[in-house]
Amino acid sequence: MRNTVLFGNGINRLSDNAVSWDNLLNNIKGSNIFDNGNLPNTMVYERIFMEHHVANKSHKADELKIKNSIAKAMKSQGSNEIFELLASVDVENYLTTNYDYAFEKALNISPEKLSTEEIYSLRRKRKYSTKSGSKYLWNIHGEIEHPKSIMLGLDHYCGSVSKIDSYVKGTYKHTVSGQSVSVASMQDKLKSEKYCFTSWVDLFFSSNVHIVGLSLDYSETDLWWVLNKRARFVADGLVSNKIYFYTNQIDDEKMGLLKSFDVEVVITDVVEGDYKGMYESSINKIPTKTEGVLAA
C-alpha cells in the first residue's frame, strides 16, 4: 500500500525567515489588538473579519482584502533542511495545511497546476516531475497564489466539511472540459478498491497516511471529520489502511481520542526542544514503497 505524508506549519517554524502566526494575526487585527485567550484560530479570524466588515457593502471584498494581506505575508516563507528531507522520501502524494510553497522551494521544480477550484480545495493539486517520477502536493487548506482559497475562518471550514461530506457520500460533482463529472461514494470505492483520486480525501482511505509537523488542533474540523468518518468505516470492516501521527509529546485526552479514531500515535524520543531532530526521526520512520506498513 502506498504512503502519503500530511505535514503542517511545525516544519515551517524551522526556517530562518519563518512567518509567525501570532504576528500575522496581530497584523490583520488592525487597530484593535485583542487578546486571543483560548480562542482557536478559526474564531480569532472570524472576530477579525466581523470587526473589519463594513455594513451594507460586499463582505466578499472585505474578506478578500484580509486574505490578500495574509498571502502577501506568507510569500516570504522560506524552505529548510527538513523540507529537503521530506522531498527525498519515497512518497508520491504530499498533503499540507500550509498555504505557502516552502516544500516546492525544496524541490526546486516548477509545478504543473492541476486545480480549477477558486475557493475550496478538495482537488487543489500541483504536480512536480522529478527524475524518480512524479510528486503531487495537495494544499488542502488553500494556497497563497489564490487568496480566496485560504481557509482560516469557521465559515470556510464548515463549507469545506460540507464539500467533503458530499464527496464521501458520492453526491459531489465538478466540471471537466465543460462536462459535469460525479464520483462514486467512498463505501463503493472501499468495496471495489477502486479510487478516482479526484480529491485528497481518497488518500485517507486508500493509503497509509503519516502526519508530521501538525499538532492536529481541534479547530482543524475538516481533518477530524475525515478521521472520524474513516474510523466509522473501520468499525464496519471496510478500511485496511493505517494512519500514523508523529509527535514528541501528547496529552492523555488527545492520545485516547486518536486511538479511538484508529490512529496510531508514534512517540519520537528526542531531546526537549530539538524539533529538527524530532522531524528527522519521524520522517526517517516512514517506510518505502516496498517496506509496507510501519511496525507497531
Side-chain angles (χ1 to χ4, degrees):
M1 184 174 287
R2 73 179 72 191
N3 292 296
T4 296
V5 172
L6 166 60
F7 65 89
N9 192 55
I11 300 177
N12 273 350
R13 294 176 183 173
L14 297 178
S15 299
D16 292 336
N17 59 341
V19 178
S20 164
W21 266 109
D22 287 337
N23 291 341
L24 185 59
L25 288 174
N26 283 335
N27 287 340
I28 64 175
K29 284 175 184 177
S31 59
N32 183 20
I33 307 296
F34 59 85
D35 185 1
N36 297 347
N38 294 321
L39 289 176
N41 284 342
T42 50
M43 297 304 183
V44 173
Y45 175 84
E46 291 298 346
R47 177 175 174 179
I48 293 170
F49 165 66
M50 296 310 298
E51 291 184 350
H52 279 306
H53 178 53
V54 179
N56 301 320
K57 291 188 177 181
S58 173
H59 74 276
K60 291 182 179 179
D62 297 330
E63 189 155 33
L64 183 57
K65 183 177 180 180
I66 296 173
K67 292 189 175 184
N68 276 329
S69 66
I70 293 172
K72 183 178 180 180
M74 294 298 294
K75 283 182 179 179
S76 63
Q77 176 65 51
S79 192
N80 56 56
E81 293 178 26
I82 297 301
F83 279 120
E84 292 173 5
L85 177 62
L86 201 60
S88 71
V89 174
D90 187 16
V91 167
E92 184 178 9
N93 286 284
Y94 296 82
L95 281 57
T96 184
T97 54
N98 299 341
Y99 317 120
D100 59 76
Y101 306 118
F103 177 77
E104 181 174 295
K105 292 174 182 177
L107 282 171
N108 195 26
I109 298 172
S110 297
E112 180 183 351
K113 302 166 188 178
L114 303 176
S115 173
T116 57
E117 294 170 290
E118 184 178 13
I119 297 175
Y120 294 103
S121 301
L122 263 71
R123 311 188 314 276
R124 190 171 302 282
K125 180 168 61 173
R126 298 162 80 90
K127 177 181 178 181
Y128 305 89
S129 298
T130 71
K131 293 180 180 179
S132 58
S134 298
K135 287 182 178 288
Y136 298 90
L137 177 66
W138 305 73
N139 290 90
I140 67 175
H141 284 179
E143 58 182 324
I144 58 177
E145 197 171 82
H146 300 280
K148 288 182 181 179
S149 72
I150 292 175
M151 190 162 79
L152 261 176
L154 182 67
D155 182 74
H156 203 155
Y157 267 89
C158 290
S160 180
V161 170
S162 176
K163 295 282 186 181
I164 297 170
D165 179 58
S166 176
Y167 187 85
V168 170
K169 288 178 177 175
T171 58
Y172 178 81
K173 293 183 179 181
H174 63 289
T175 302
V176 177
S177 300
Q179 300 294 318
S180 179
V181 178
S182 59
V183 297
S185 71
M186 191 58 66
Q187 282 191 327
D188 288 343
K189 290 177 182 178
L190 287 167
K191 290 174 182 177
S192 67
E193 296 185 352
K194 294 180 180 179
Y195 303 89
C196 60
F197 299 108
T198 297
S199 170
W200 56 267
V201 177
D202 281 1
L203 294 163
F204 267 88
F205 296 87
S206 64
S207 69
N208 297 321
V209 180
H210 302 263
I211 305 173
V212 181
L214 181 67
S215 66
L216 269 183
D217 187 271
Y218 295 121
S219 63
E220 306 282 12
T221 317
D222 56 334
L223 291 174
W224 284 106
W225 190 96
V226 171
L227 290 174
N228 179 259
K229 180 59 69 174
R230 176 186 169 276
R232 289 171 181 262
F233 286 148
V234 168
D236 293 334
L238 295 174
V239 176
S240 59
N241 71 322
K242 300 289 185 180
I243 308 288
Y244 301 98
F245 178 71
Y246 297 84
T247 185
N248 65 326
Q249 58 183 2
I250 187 172
D251 59 58
D252 292 340
E253 293 79 13
K254 182 172 282 188
M255 172 79 85
L257 181 61
L258 286 169
K259 285 186 175 180
S260 75
F261 280 18
D262 193 54
V263 175
E264 183 173 332
V265 177
V266 182
I267 303 294
T268 301
D269 187 17
V270 294
V271 177
E272 184 177 354
D274 181 15
Y275 291 102
K276 181 174 179 288
M278 178 185 71
Y279 294 140
E280 285 177 341
S281 178
S282 298
I283 293 168
N284 286 329
K285 291 179 186 293
I286 299 173
T288 64
K289 293 177 182 176
T290 57
E291 289 176 335
V293 299
L294 189 68

